[in-house]
Amino acid sequence: MNIVVLAGGLSSERDVSFKSGTMVAKALRNRGHNALVLDVFMGYSDAECDVTDIFEKSEENSVVVNDIPTEAPDIDAIIASRADKSPSFFGPNVIKICQMADIVFMALHGGDGESGKVQAAFDLYGIKYTGNDYLSSAIAMDKQMTKEVIKNAGVPVPEGVSLKKENRAGFKFDKFPCIVKPNCGGSSIGVTIVNDPADFDAALDAAFEWEDEVVVEAFISGREFSDGVIEYKALPIIEIAPKQGFYDYKNKYAAGSAVETCPAEISEKATKEMQKYAEIAFKALGLTTYARMDFLMDENENIYCLEANTLPGMTPTSLLPQEAGVTGMNFEDLCEHLIEVSLKKYA
């Protein structure tokens, strides 16, 4: 197959996306596919060009990345660096190349990549892609909306509220410690644990740097878990235990920063309950292909679902590949399987 592995973009997770895309492309090439890593924003070349044989030399035409930096990218500088200065999210030749592909493997994370916007555009252009449709992606991207939807379906969530930037003046939150985080962001960028009310405004500042709506919710002291779901079936649960602090951007992507245990060493009762909640949340959000649900569990085994990730990371330290590995599915198998699952949307 000729496959575009779409990565990059303009989210805070741009660099993470490139790492995912590089790993996926390598796996697909090992399976005999022509896999081209393409930056959705920068595109291919600065102008119209002949891309007829681009897949024949997919590896040399792909974006090449190094390791994930420990700091989030400077999005303004990236926008300024695009040669054609177009306001379009899609870079030069991106749509044309994606239309030539048998399928686009969505390695985008955060921002426009997971919000359903790219998926909706691809539907209009007749482009096949991996992952969920535009509507379920849009709902799951919104943390507060996700909480409301899955809570109505019987999945427990932390108590909290959303706050828009224009309503910030006079806003008070009286439950400390608490968590402040961007409503649609990922990779724990802009997230702050607030123990002292005096630090609350600074936490809002940090979150509002990334977007105009944030979520403020009660802090739950406990263990962190994640559970992937593929076609409504939960995978083995993984526990994430950062060696220092919480599971922030650095701990997510720096090798050795966290201890990840799969299957998680928890009771059978907690295992079944968490997997059940993952499957309920998946269905309630309208997801059909694959996703990953994040959880916290306190010392009394009370479980809380935090959010859904509709395009889970596919880096060497990512969680979904580790969970799939426990079932006997190696990384190459997983990449192939996610394509097969996604193509069922078009059957």
Side-chain angles (χ1 to χ4, degrees), residues 271-305:
T271 297
K272 290 182 177 179
E273 190 171 32
M274 195 176 297
Q275 289 179 319
K276 178 188 72 173
Y277 287 148
E279 291 172 354
I280 291 173
F282 186 90
K283 186 174 182 179
L285 291 167
L287 305 173
T288 59
T289 54
Y290 59 95
R292 202 193 74 226
M293 309 298 167
D294 294 338
F295 294 91
L296 282 172
M297 184 175 73
D298 67 20
E299 60 183 5
N300 297 316
E301 290 197 346
N302 295 309
I303 297 169
Y304 303 88
C305 186

Side-chain angles (χ1 to χ4, degrees), residues 108-147:
L108 296 168
H109 300 316
D112 293 317
E114 288 187 78
S115 68
K117 295 178 182 178
V118 172
Q119 290 83 349
F122 280 179
D123 286 344
L124 292 173
Y125 280 110
I127 297 169
K128 296 178 181 178
Y129 55 88
T130 59
N132 301 283
D133 65 16
Y134 74 92
L135 182 56
S136 58
S137 298
I139 294 171
M141 186 69 188
D142 187 305
K143 289 183 174 64
Q144 187 62 26
M145 186 178 293
T146 292
K147 286 170 60 178

